Amino acid sequence: MDDIKHILSIDQFDRIGIEEIFKLSATLEKETNAGDYLQGKILATLFFEPSTRTRLSFEAAFIKLGGQILSVENAFDNSSNKKGEPASECAKTISNYADFIVFRHPEGNSASEVAKVANCPIINAGSGSSEHPTQAILDLYTIWKEKGQIDGLKICIIGDLKHARTINSLKKALANFDVELFELDNFSGDMHELPEGTIEKCDVIYMTRNQIERHGNVALNIKFALGHGHDLKLKEKAIVLHPLPRGYEIDPSFDADPRARYWAQVKNGIAVRQALILYLAGYIKL
Ligand code: CP
């Protein structure tokens, strides 16, 4: 299915493409009458892993653009995968009923494999530890909106560096911009340190939870956290982002801090996913 456009990896997007998505997302955020774009179109979500934000924000985004939804969540149990049908054949089947498929699966190359057999665009909504490209674009969009630009920023990623697909995709996306990037593994057990005062100088702190579902280790010592009274010291104008769901690393009491911007990040998911769908539908070229 070589002539069908998909969103499988953040590698597909260069800086110009990412900035086009920002512009369209910003326009869509102000749009009060976007309900005509996708009338008569169907988006299917096929999720073999749990999700709150990605599945439902794609569905909300599509409905707001005038389209309709087919939804399979917990697809290991609720699709014919339970009867032995490969995930790729579930998706191939659904691609005869839907115009777009948003697909999440625990295997790293799953979305790419599905794209080889499906008759419609596949959007990778998270493939194992490897990629979560639409999350990365909404993370960048949030930084761009909050800070006015991405170039020149100091960004520190603190999380499960080996297993968080959001981090993998975000790091690749940030390579398109002139940023200073620092990384701290909060869950590896062999945490390395950054030079004294590094975090206090950062403009963006991006945290993730321990990806227990990838390695099963719940007992790791979490060194860097917010809202527990022994917090990281942050710059006054820093922003804190998190793809959510969160774990111990950000206590809900930190939500009242003006630097906590992860709930704004959640909200941005609608406009960014609308823009990405409209790109696949041919409304913009990247
Ligand atoms: N950020 C994210 O992927 O959240 P969900 O797992 O709830 O979709």
Side-chain angles (χ1 to χ4, degrees):
M1 310 294 167
D2 290 343
D3 51 345
I4 300 175
K5 269 190 294 185
H6 306 281
I7 297 174
L8 302 175
S9 166
I10 195 68
D11 293 337
Q12 289 169 238
F13 297 89
D14 61 12
R15 181 182 177 124
I16 292 170
I18 290 168
E19 289 175 343
E20 285 301 314
I21 295 294
F22 289 175
K23 280 188 237 162
L24 181 55
S25 304
T27 303
L28 288 162
E29 278 199 82
K30 294 184 209 119
E31 179 90 74
T32 50
N33 203 11
D36 290 339
Y37 285 111
L38 296 178
Q39 270 188 7
K41 300 290 183 192
I42 295 174
L43 175 107
T45 51
L46 177 58
F47 275 53
F48 288 86
E49 284 187 337
S51 169
T52 304
R53 278 146 291 273
T54 311
R55 185 170 67 84
L56 294 172
S57 65
F58 262 114
E59 294 184 1
F62 205 79
I63 290 167
K64 282 169 179 270
L65 291 170
Q68 292 180 292
I69 298 297
L70 299 174
S71 194
V72 188
E73 45 110 20
N74 192 13
F76 280 121
D77 282 335
N78 294 340
S79 73
S80 287
N81 186 261
K82 182 89 174 169
K83 297 182 271 183
E85 185 174 54
S88 59
E89 292 194 9
C90 294
K92 181 175 174 154
T93 301
I94 293 167
S95 72
N96 291 286
Y97 314 144
D99 301 286
F100 306 87
I101 296 177
V102 182
F103 181 81
R104 174 174 284 189
H105 194 280
E107 284 173 20
N109 63 350
S110 50
S112 303
E113 291 303 310
V114 163
K116 289 178 189 163
V117 298
N119 300 314
C120 74
I122 300 297
I123 302 171
N124 181 359
S127 45
S129 296
S130 72
E131 279 265 16
H132 196 345
T134 68
Q135 178 71 44
I137 295 181
L138 94 82
D139 295 341
L140 288 188
Y141 180 67
T142 305
I143 296 170
W144 179 75
K145 258 180 79 178
E146 296 281 330
K147 304 303 282 182
Q149 60 178 39
I150 297 175
D151 287 331
L153 296 178
K154 290 183 169 57
I155 298 176
C156 187
I157 294 174
I158 304 174
D160 191 342
L161 299 183
K162 283 196 198 117
H163 304 99
R165 57 194 174 202
T166 59
I167 292 178
N168 288 338
S169 290
L170 179 62
K171 280 167 57 180
K172 291 201 263 183
L174 284 169
N176 291 288
F177 296 86
D178 180 18
V179 298
E180 212 173 329
L181 187 62
F182 304 96
E183 297 174 53
L184 275 175
D185 199 315
N186 216 1
F187 303 102
S188 68
D190 58 341
M191 287 177 292
H192 59 280
E193 303 286 342
L194 291 173
E196 180 81 20
T198 302
I199 293 172
E200 288 156 80
K201 287 189 200 141
C202 283
D203 306 290
V204 179
I205 308 294
Y206 185 92
M207 301 183 86
T208 69
R209 70 185 168 89
N210 184 5
Q211 308 288 306
I212 296 161
E213 68 274 35
R214 309 273 172 240
H215 50 67
N217 193 347
V218 291
L220 292 169
N221 182 29
I222 299 172
K223 184 167 179 190
F224 303 103
L226 292 166
H228 294 282
H230 49 87
D231 291 2
L232 290 168
K233 284 208 177 66
L234 304 180
K235 192 173 170 175
E236 193 189 334
K237 297 276 182 203
I239 58 168
V240 176
L241 302 182
H242 193 304
L244 303 177
R246 62 178 146 195
Y248 177 84
E249 67 282 351
I250 303 183
D251 187 80
S253 63
F254 187 73
D255 293 5
D257 190 301
R259 293 167 292 193
R261 300 304 295 154
Y262 31 86
W263 291 112
Q265 186 183 0
V266 166
K267 194 168 179 200
N268 290 334
I270 296 279
V272 169
R273 289 180 167 127
Q274 284 181 320
L276 290 167
I277 293 162
L278 290 179
Y279 153 63
L280 290 178
Y283 280 90
I284 55 166
K285 296 211 182 322
L286 301 182

